[in-house]
Amino acid sequence: MASPDDDHDHRHEHGSELSATQLRVRALETILTEKGYVDPAALDAIIEAYETKIGPHNGARVVAKAWTDPAFKRALLDDASKAVGALGHTSRVGDHLVAVENTPKTHNMVVCTLCSCYPWEMLGLPPVWYKAAPYRSRAVKDPRGVLADFGVTLPRDTAIRVWDSTAETRFLVLPMRPAGTEGWSEDKLALLVTRDSMIGTGLARMPGEIA
Amino acid sequence: MDGVHDMGGMDGFGTVLPEPNEPVFHEGWESRVLAMNRAMGAAGSWSIDMARFSREQLPPPIYLAATYYQRWFLGMRQMLLDRGLVDADEVAAGHALRPGKPLPRGPFTRNDVVRVLTRGTYGRPAPAPARFQAGDRVRAKNIHPRTHTRLPRYVRGHAGVVERVHGCHVFPDTVAAGEGENPQWLYTVVFESRELWGPDADPTLTVSIDAFEPYLDPA
């Protein structure tokens, strides 16, 4: 079968460990730089931001705040972009962010069947499974089967709502606050909030699961 | 277009494989592809929907065999060639053979980085009142454009209920075709599982899409 990596295999030509894709990407960056389109240092800065600054810890702080501050939770569910923007402590957030709340009656789960739409500013870059065919194909048809792949079983009478991100709206799941966390600080609660719990393919950690 | 990217409801792709402690990038070149794509987009070379359409047009065997960032690379290279920003002989040589062309927003520099870290806004003033409101029953049109659309196949022809009205947004179908923003009302439309997947579907499931007004008829 055709493969995206099989028209010039430079590994053999040059006796190098570099893959054909790696060489082609490097060559394209050279071209874009020589033509004056991009500054490689600016590319470095984009990468550094996604590797060190923008990740699920941003969303976890928002969830922890919603768990402890009812007024913020109402504001978040009403207009998440506005509520998160007003916090100021996280990275800047774009428009059209929608927060949806998990309850004992309803479990929300987010997918993008057409590509890989994901709330980058809240969760960082999406994991490989989120962008891959098994999740994109099954989430809208067999969400309980998908949850089983994550080791998650919901009560049979819990309603499941799957949000397919087909436009520029972005969805953040507000997971249920675990029992036994009364009186916890926002910082400590944030440790319970996993990336998957904010996508809806997981639940928040239980208090005993963190040291 | 009715492409392999439109995966909702397809069978046979197997189990979801979560990776514990997954790194942000698995190989260094993936990060360069992401950054180049974002930078050239921010310089005005293409919109997000044009980039999506470039990946959707990859031949199905290539699309399915490629990793995510390989798709991004192949789509981006094609967009650069299509726009004449890079020429085929330069790709073959691995070097620029002639000077660059002007980019709509100029070269991408460090001062532009902050711009790509925040999503743009896609809301626009409404050219007309909304046709639907929350609670209305609607039916997704049975349309099969050969061009870019954000109406997934699995809802086409099916009836649902408008749950939210998001305002008027840039319309991907025309943007991707280079025909302008053409703002349209955007709605969250909720479908019952049995409407989509038949009598054996999980009755506890509902699925929503965000649908632009031209995708919908009253039901």
Side-chain angles (χ1 to χ4, degrees):
Chain A
M1 187 163 90
S3 141
D5 211 37
D6 68 7
D7 47 32
H8 305 83
D9 195 335
H10 292 271
R11 266 170 297 198
H12 305 299
E13 291 171 32
H14 299 297
S16 147
E17 294 301 313
L18 299 177
S19 72
T21 298
Q22 193 174 354
L23 287 166
R24 275 187 230 143
V25 170
R26 188 177 291 178
L28 193 65
E29 184 174 341
T30 299
I31 297 167
L32 297 186
T33 305
E34 289 174 349
K35 288 176 97 70
Y37 295 150
V38 299
D39 173 1
L43 303 185
D44 294 343
I46 295 174
I47 294 163
E48 189 195 350
Y50 286 113
E51 286 187 326
T52 64
K53 297 192 185 97
I54 304 173
H57 56 278
N58 293 346
R61 295 197 62 172
V62 170
V63 170
K65 172 100 178 152
W67 281 348
T68 55
D69 180 342
F72 175 74
K73 180 174 148 183
R74 277 194 299 275
L76 184 73
L77 294 173
D78 182 51
D79 183 339
S81 287
K82 195 170 152 192
V84 173
L87 280 181
H89 67 50
T90 184
S91 63
R92 287 167 38 178
V93 64
D95 288 348
H96 322 310
L97 182 67
V98 176
V100 293
E101 183 185 16
N102 282 352
T103 67
K105 286 184 175 167
T106 304
H107 180 88
N108 294 282
M109 198 167 121
V110 180
V111 65
C112 174
T113 61
L114 296 173
C115 52
S116 56
C117 298
Y118 188 77
W120 286 20
E121 292 139 303
M122 290 289 96
L123 303 185
L125 298 177
V128 166
W129 60 259
Y130 185 87
K131 304 176 286 197
Y135 186 70
R136 284 167 54 190
S137 60
R138 284 172 59 213
V140 291
K141 191 177 183 182
D142 178 26
R144 286 181 195 270
V146 168
L147 287 168
D149 292 346
F150 286 87
V152 174
T153 308
L154 297 176
R156 291 183 66 83
D157 58 351
T158 300
I160 300 184
R161 167 66 178 277
V162 176
W163 301 74
D164 191 355
S165 309
T166 54
E168 293 306 327
T169 35
R170 292 291 175 272
F171 301 98
L172 178 75
V173 174
L174 179 56
M176 285 193 285
R177 178 173 174 167
T181 58
E182 295 74 16
W184 283 32
S185 69
E186 276 180 44
D187 285 348
K188 196 171 171 191
L189 285 168
L191 300 175
L192 301 175
V193 185
T194 63
R195 177 197 67 200
D196 291 359
S197 73
M198 294 181 278
I199 303 171
T201 54
L203 308 175
R205 290 190 184 101
M206 298 305 288
E209 292 180 64
I210 58 169
Chain B
M1 62 179 284
D2 289 347
V4 286
H5 68 282
D6 187 356
M7 293 179 163
M10 291 176 76
D11 293 324
F13 285 116
T15 55
V16 181
L17 299 171
E19 179 184 347
N21 303 311
E22 181 174 336
V24 175
F25 299 103
H26 289 78
E27 296 190 53
W29 64 264
E30 297 180 339
S31 67
R32 308 310 292 182
V33 169
L34 172 100
M36 279 190 268
N37 218 311
R38 300 284 289 169
M40 291 303 287
S45 310
W46 50 71
S47 71
I48 190 165
D49 283 293
M50 291 171 179
R52 288 185 184 124
F53 191 39
S54 75
R55 298 189 280 271
E56 294 166 6
Q57 291 177 91
L58 294 172
I62 298 285
Y63 186 100
L64 292 172
T67 66
Y68 181 71
Y69 286 111
Q70 282 174 332
R71 268 178 225 149
W72 272 46
F73 173 72
L74 295 169
M76 174 172 64
R77 190 174 64 181
Q78 195 58 50
M79 287 192 291
L80 291 166
L81 291 167
D82 290 346
R83 287 159 177 73
L85 293 170
V86 168
D87 294 316
D89 57 351
E90 296 176 309
V91 170
H95 282 282
L97 301 175
R98 49 199 73 84
K101 294 187 174 171
L103 301 176
R105 289 187 211 128
F108 188 86
T109 69
R110 284 195 71 113
N111 294 333
D112 301 307
V113 172
V114 68
R115 246 181 340 116
V116 305
L117 300 181
T118 304
R119 278 163 44 73
T121 182
Y122 295 84
R124 296 291 183 270
R131 188 175 178 199
F132 305 111
Q133 56 183 336
D136 284 356
R137 280 187 62 78
V138 291
R139 186 176 299 276
K141 288 182 184 171
N142 180 19
I143 50 171
H144 297 266
R146 304 289 170 90
T147 47
H148 181 68
T149 185
R150 297 292 292 179
L151 181 66
R153 272 202 292 274
Y154 73 89
V155 302
R156 294 178 194 170
H158 293 294
V161 175
V162 172
E163 184 181 74
R164 297 181 186 215
V165 184
H166 292 289
C168 228
H169 282 216
V170 170
F171 188 40
D173 301 45
T174 49
V175 169
E179 292 167 5
E181 293 191 337
N182 185 23
Q184 300 292 338
W185 286 94
L186 180 67
Y187 308 92
T188 295
V189 179
V190 187
F191 299 87
E192 299 286 334
S193 62
R194 287 175 175 169
E195 170 72 14
L196 298 177
W197 309 117
D200 296 333
D202 178 349
T204 63
L205 170 65
T206 52
V207 179
S208 64
I209 66 160
D210 281 355
F212 294 89
E213 195 169 273
Y215 299 164
L216 302 172
D217 282 326

